[in-house]
């Protein structure tokens, strides 16, 4: 950090990047490096670091969604719809939420339908009890997200939120009545 501060005081961005590139132990470290590049007008270099971080940690069970969002934003800004769509779709499949759905819907209406179908398929697997209610061993509440187990959204809640966002009141109400 001392060398980084010294390089910053000297205005040597390349030295700061080289220093940080030596310690890329997490997706967060890649994100910090991408943000440093972004903050200094180096969008292409920021994207390079974001892509590398996503690739290096592609097998992480709980990837840093901020790095995925950074890559998505940069691809979108560059007009690279296919890569933006790929990043947000894969992020949605791992950890679906309303924000990712909205990003998918804004990119491709057909892919949004697939996202809903994916969630509906997951809802069918939530093992309803004899009263049609889903069984969850534990419910964890994160800011803005209700989930069971580890960071997995309750599918019926997420689908209801999506349908309400899309102003599909009948579909939302059907889920609420069933669950």
């Amino acid at each position: 950090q001392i060398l980084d501060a010294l390089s910053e005081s000297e205005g040597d961005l390349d030295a700061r990047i080289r220093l940080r590139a030596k310690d890329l132990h997490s997706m967060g470290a890649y994100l910090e490096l991408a943000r440093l590049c972004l903050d200094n007008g180096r969008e292409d270099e920021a994207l390079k670091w974001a892509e590398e971080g996503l690739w290096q940690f592609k097998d992480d069970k709980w990837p840093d969604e901020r790095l995925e969002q950074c890559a998505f934003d940069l691809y979108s800004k560059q007009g690279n719809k296919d890569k933006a769509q790929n990043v947000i779709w894969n992020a949605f499949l791992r950890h679906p939420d309303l924000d990712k759905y909205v990003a998918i819907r804004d990119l491709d209406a057909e892919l949004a339908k697939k996202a809903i179908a994916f969630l509906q398929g997951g809802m069918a697997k939530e093992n309803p009890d004899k009263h049609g209610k889903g069984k969850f061993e534990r419910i964890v509440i994160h800011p803005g997200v209700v989930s069971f187990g580890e960071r997995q959204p309750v599918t019926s809640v997420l689908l209801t939120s999506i349908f309400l966002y899309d102003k599909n009141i009948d579909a939302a109400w059907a889920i609420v009545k069933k669950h």
Side-chain angles (χ1 to χ4, degrees):
Q1 288 182 350
I2 294 172
L3 292 175
D4 186 55
L6 181 61
S7 297
E8 182 178 15
S9 70
E10 294 175 354
D12 191 348
L13 180 60
D14 290 325
R16 293 183 73 200
I17 292 170
R18 282 192 305 275
L19 284 169
R20 291 183 185 202
K22 290 179 182 178
D23 185 26
L24 297 172
H25 61 281
S26 68
M27 290 181 85
Y30 278 96
L31 177 64
E32 287 180 22
L33 190 48
R35 285 184 177 162
L36 175 65
C37 293
L38 270 176
D39 291 345
N40 288 280
R42 295 188 179 183
E43 288 184 10
D44 290 340
E45 199 169 349
L47 182 56
K48 175 186 110 42
W49 289 114
E51 287 174 330
E52 184 176 320
L54 291 175
W55 182 79
Q56 288 289 339
F57 293 93
K58 67 183 179 294
D59 296 326
D60 270 18
K61 185 175 180 182
W62 304 112
D64 189 329
E65 293 180 349
R66 298 170 306 158
L67 185 61
E68 292 172 323
Q69 184 67 49
C70 178
F72 171 78
D73 291 342
L74 288 166
Y75 285 135
S76 296
K77 189 172 184 178
Q78 289 182 348
N80 194 333
K81 182 180 172 183
D82 291 338
K83 286 189 176 182
Q85 186 173 301
N86 187 48
V87 167
I88 201 68
W89 178 250
N90 288 328
F92 180 84
L93 291 178
R94 272 192 310 280
H95 306 290
D97 64 37
L98 181 60
D99 291 334
K100 291 176 194 133
Y101 167 77
V102 171
I104 289 167
R105 191 191 72 173
D106 290 347
L107 284 172
D108 185 333
E110 288 304 310
L111 191 58
K113 290 177 185 175
K114 288 182 184 178
I116 289 171
F118 169 76
L119 292 173
Q120 288 170 326
M123 202 166 77
K125 296 175 187 173
E126 286 181 352
N127 300 323
D129 64 17
K130 64 182 179 179
H131 303 292
K133 306 285 185 202
K135 293 181 182 177
F136 303 102
E137 290 183 14
R138 67 178 187 208
I139 294 188
V140 180
I141 301 177
H142 298 282
V145 177
V146 178
S147 61
F148 63 92
E150 293 293 323
R151 293 178 57 194
Q152 291 296 321
V154 176
T155 309
S156 58
V157 172
L158 179 55
L159 266 173
T160 301
S161 298
I162 286 171
F163 288 139
L164 289 173
Y165 184 87
D166 286 342
K167 297 181 179 24
N168 187 344
I169 306 302
D170 292 337
W173 187 243
I175 292 172
V176 169
K177 287 196 296 190
K178 184 175 181 180
H179 293 278

